[in-house]
Amino acid sequence: MLFGIDKRPMLATTILIVDDDPVQRRLVEATARRFGYEAVSVTGGAAALEALADPDGDRFSLMILDLVMPEIDGMTVLARLRES
């Protein structure tokens, strides 16, 4: 369970992990879960944009984003988020 500064329990935080490398994606996801976070992993920029555009896309508190990916890279994801 996660605890805030005032020692009260915090709600689980969901992290969106975006990486085209399956090994790195699994390592980051395992680390996030070990620290008590919910983790959702996707394979690239297009999948990240889809996950964030879903009606429940606001459930993500943090995104760990690979900047170098084929097709839609991390910088493009950030630019499209800024536009929307």
Side-chain angles (χ1 to χ4, degrees):
M1 178 173 283
L2 299 175
F3 293 93
I5 294 172
D6 59 0
K7 306 297 184 208
R8 288 186 295 180
M10 295 172 45
L11 297 175
T13 300
T14 304
I15 299 173
L16 177 61
I17 300 165
V18 186
D19 199 322
D20 61 315
D21 181 342
V23 173
Q24 291 298 322
R25 197 171 53 245
R26 282 192 302 268
L27 286 172
V28 173
E29 182 176 356
T31 301
R33 290 183 190 279
R34 190 173 322 126
F35 282 98
Y37 297 100
E38 298 286 330
V40 174
S41 296
V42 296
T43 60
L49 291 170
E50 286 177 23
L52 293 166
D54 276 350
D56 65 343
D58 60 349
R59 69 185 169 157
F60 300 112
S61 300
L62 175 74
M63 177 170 56
I64 299 176
L65 177 64
D66 184 6
L67 294 179
V68 181
M69 295 182 287
E71 298 175 27
I72 299 178
D73 66 1
M75 294 306 290
T76 304
V77 170
L78 293 175
R80 290 190 185 170
L81 288 175
R82 194 174 310 124
E83 292 170 2
S84 61

